[in-house]
Amino acid sequence: MWHRLKTPLIALSVGLNLAFIAMWIAQTVPELSTGSKPATNAAGDGPDFLHRTIGVTSEQWRQIEPHIRQFRKNAQTQRRTISALRMELMELLAASGLDERRIRAKQEQILTEKSKMQNQVIELLLLEKRILKPEQQKALIGVIHGYCSGNETGDSPGPGLGQVLRSDESAFGKDHDDK
C-alpha cells in the first residue's frame, strides 16, 4: 500500500512547495543589482527586501504595498488551510483501514486550495507587472525562475520556502536573526 501512495504523496508535496515558491516572490529574494534607488514609505520602513532589491521607487511602492499587505494576509490564511488539509490527509493515510475515496477527496481539496493560492500569486504578479518598469519585471522574473528551477544537480534551490516567506535577508544565509 505504501508503495502505491508514495509517488502521489511526493508529487503532492512537490506541488505544494512550488505553489509556495511562487508566493515567495512577494516577500524576499537574493540581492540583485538594479541600479535604482530603493523607495521608502511615509513611515520610513520602506519596501520589503524583494522590492528593495529590484529597486522600486516611492511611487511604485505606494501602489504595490496595499496589495502586498493583503496578499500576505490571504496567503497566511491559505497556508494554514492547506496545512490543516495535509494533516487530515496524513491522518487518513495513517488510519488502520484504507478509505481510498476519502483519501482522494482530501487530495482534491488540497489541490483546490493550492490552485487558489496560485491564482492569488498570479493576480499579484499581474498587478506588479502593470506597475514595474521592464528591467524590474525582468529582475523579478529572473529571481522567481532561479528559485523555481534550482540548480543542475537537483539540489534544493533555497532554504525552504516557508522560511523565506516569514523572513527577510536571513533566509538567504546572511548573518541576520530569523523573524
Side-chain angles (χ1 to χ4, degrees):
M1 179 178 98
W2 171 247
H3 186 11
R4 272 185 36 210
L5 292 175
K6 184 177 177 181
T7 302
L9 286 176
I10 290 172
L12 178 63
S13 178
V14 169
L16 286 170
N17 287 330
L18 288 175
F20 290 135
I21 286 171
M23 284 182 7
W24 154 83
I25 60 150
Q27 300 277 329
T28 57
V29 298
E31 291 184 24
L32 297 174
S33 176
T34 62
S36 299
K37 182 179 178 185
T40 56
N41 64 19
D45 53 352
D48 59 19
F49 185 65
L50 168 66
H51 293 90
R52 285 193 314 266
T53 34
I54 65 170
V56 297
T57 65
S58 296
E59 177 60 23
Q60 287 172 320
W61 182 245
R62 185 189 63 73
Q63 295 174 52
I64 292 170
E65 183 182 26
H67 300 284
I68 295 290
R69 288 180 189 262
Q70 186 62 47
F71 172 82
R72 288 177 181 159
K73 181 180 175 183
N74 294 345
Q76 182 178 19
T77 301
Q78 200 67 32
R79 282 193 309 270
R80 286 182 183 142
T81 299
I82 292 169
S83 180
L85 290 170
R86 288 178 78 191
M87 290 302 298
E88 291 171 18
L89 176 63
M90 291 299 120
E91 289 172 9
L92 288 171
L93 291 168
S96 59
L98 174 63
D99 189 346
E100 190 170 343
R101 183 190 56 76
R102 287 183 64 203
I103 290 169
R104 295 295 180 189
K106 191 61 62 180
Q107 179 184 22
E108 284 302 315
Q109 283 181 296
I110 293 169
L111 293 173
T112 298
E113 295 302 320
K114 284 177 33 184
S115 180
K116 289 178 186 177
M117 178 72 80
Q118 290 170 346
N119 286 334
Q120 290 177 30
V121 170
I122 294 300
E123 288 301 317
L124 181 64
L125 284 172
L126 291 172
L127 175 113
E128 288 197 38
K129 187 169 177 66
R130 290 189 292 267
I131 296 169
L132 298 174
K133 296 176 186 174
E135 64 272 8
Q136 293 168 320
Q137 293 172 17
K138 185 176 180 180
L140 179 66
I141 298 303
V143 170
I144 294 167
H145 178 72
Y147 253 77
C148 289
S149 64
N151 62 36
E152 297 301 316
T153 64
D155 293 340
S156 174
L161 191 56
Q163 177 64 28
V164 173
L165 284 171
R166 288 181 278 281
S167 64
D168 207 348
E169 294 97 330
S170 63
F172 301 98
K174 302 195 183 318
D175 294 322
H176 299 279
D177 294 329
D178 289 341
K179 294 187 187 252

